Amino acid sequence: MVEIWAHRGSRVAAPENTMAAFRRAVTDGADGFELDVQLSKDGRLVVIHDETLDRTTNGHGLVKDHTFDELRALDASGGRGGFAGEQIPPLEEVLQLAASARLRVNVELKNSEVAYPGLEEKVLAAIDEAAMTERVVLSTFSQESVRRLTAMTAIQVGLLFDLNQLFIGPCRRAVALGATALHPPRRRTTRHLVERAHAAGLTVRVWTANDQRWVQRLVGYGVDGVFTDVPLVARA
């Protein structure tokens, strides 16, 4: 069965990477949700996609330059009506929700633009504390971080790549790094890629498919999971 992963939560229905979006993913029937994690200035794990605050909050500047309390004081509604007061959540809070709902979580480490020393260790400690080791997948665009993670944990690690990364042989690259999953963008996903990945022992989860025709196409390719902004559409 193909798993449906709510991308940054059900982000069409609620502001991305907020507790409202993750709670909506639960009610939308997602199998799990994907989130992005960074470090605050004082070393706390916070769930937010962009390295800067400007797009999704009423703050400005880099996430890494703000303390946890400063980040929590921001409005993360993105200006969407009915969601005023939504906050940037700590990773621990999202993991607690997933644990109670018995959902899976894909934690994407946002360390390809900002190095965030110690991010891997902190994420693994939070997962262990939440007793979510068996239901978490880790992923990152940073090949060095993939290498570090696979040396530190038995949790599945996925290599992310996008349309602008033109390296040859993503399956070979993932295996060489120690990854056990490949997370390609939908426009670079083909039946041949999925077959090669599976032959190499890699789980394939594709981002981001919001159109039902795309979801059906990916299911036909034999992918293992689909990241989507609209779990209800994908589920249908």
Side-chain angles (χ1 to χ4, degrees), residues 2-178:
V2 178
E3 292 184 328
I4 302 301
W5 295 79
H7 181 236
R8 307 180 204 169
S10 290
R11 66 188 291 245
V12 168
E16 66 178 62
N17 276 328
T18 63
M19 294 307 296
F22 298 127
R23 287 191 294 267
R24 179 61 184 263
V26 175
T27 60
D28 282 350
D31 297 300
F33 38 76
E34 183 267 359
L35 56 83
D36 309 277
V37 67
Q38 301 184 55
L39 286 177
S40 66
K41 185 177 180 179
D42 48 351
R44 292 288 301 275
L45 294 163
V46 289
V47 176
I48 183 171
H49 178 270
D50 296 6
E51 287 80 6
T52 56
L53 297 164
D54 303 67
R55 181 178 66 87
T56 58
T57 79
N58 61 345
H60 305 285
L62 294 168
V63 172
K64 72 178 185 68
D65 291 338
H66 294 74
T67 66
F68 178 73
D69 287 343
E70 289 170 342
L71 294 171
R72 288 287 281 175
L74 298 175
D75 185 304
S77 67
R80 295 178 61 170
F83 294 99
E86 281 295 323
Q87 297 173 292
I88 297 173
L91 177 61
E92 296 88 346
E93 185 177 0
V94 187
L95 291 175
Q96 288 170 5
L97 172 64
S100 64
R102 302 192 63 77
L103 264 63
R104 302 190 69 195
V105 181
N106 184 120
V107 178
E108 179 184 338
L109 284 70
K110 296 293 291 185
N111 53 3
S112 57
E113 299 293 331
V114 176
Y116 287 129
L119 180 61
E120 292 90 353
E121 290 87 349
K122 287 178 180 288
V123 166
L124 291 174
I127 293 168
D128 185 62
E129 179 67 23
M132 283 286 288
T133 304
E134 300 300 319
R135 296 216 301 278
V136 168
V137 175
L138 302 168
S139 64
T140 175
F141 284 98
S142 168
Q143 294 182 46
E144 182 53 39
S145 186
V146 170
R147 198 187 306 275
R148 288 196 296 269
L149 286 166
T150 56
M152 298 164 72
T153 181
I155 294 174
Q156 188 174 67
V157 180
L159 173 64
L160 277 157
F161 69 100
D162 63 27
L163 295 172
N164 298 319
Q165 290 175 286
L166 300 178
F167 57 75
I168 305 300
C171 298
R172 291 196 302 273
R173 184 71 58 91
V175 171
L177 293 169

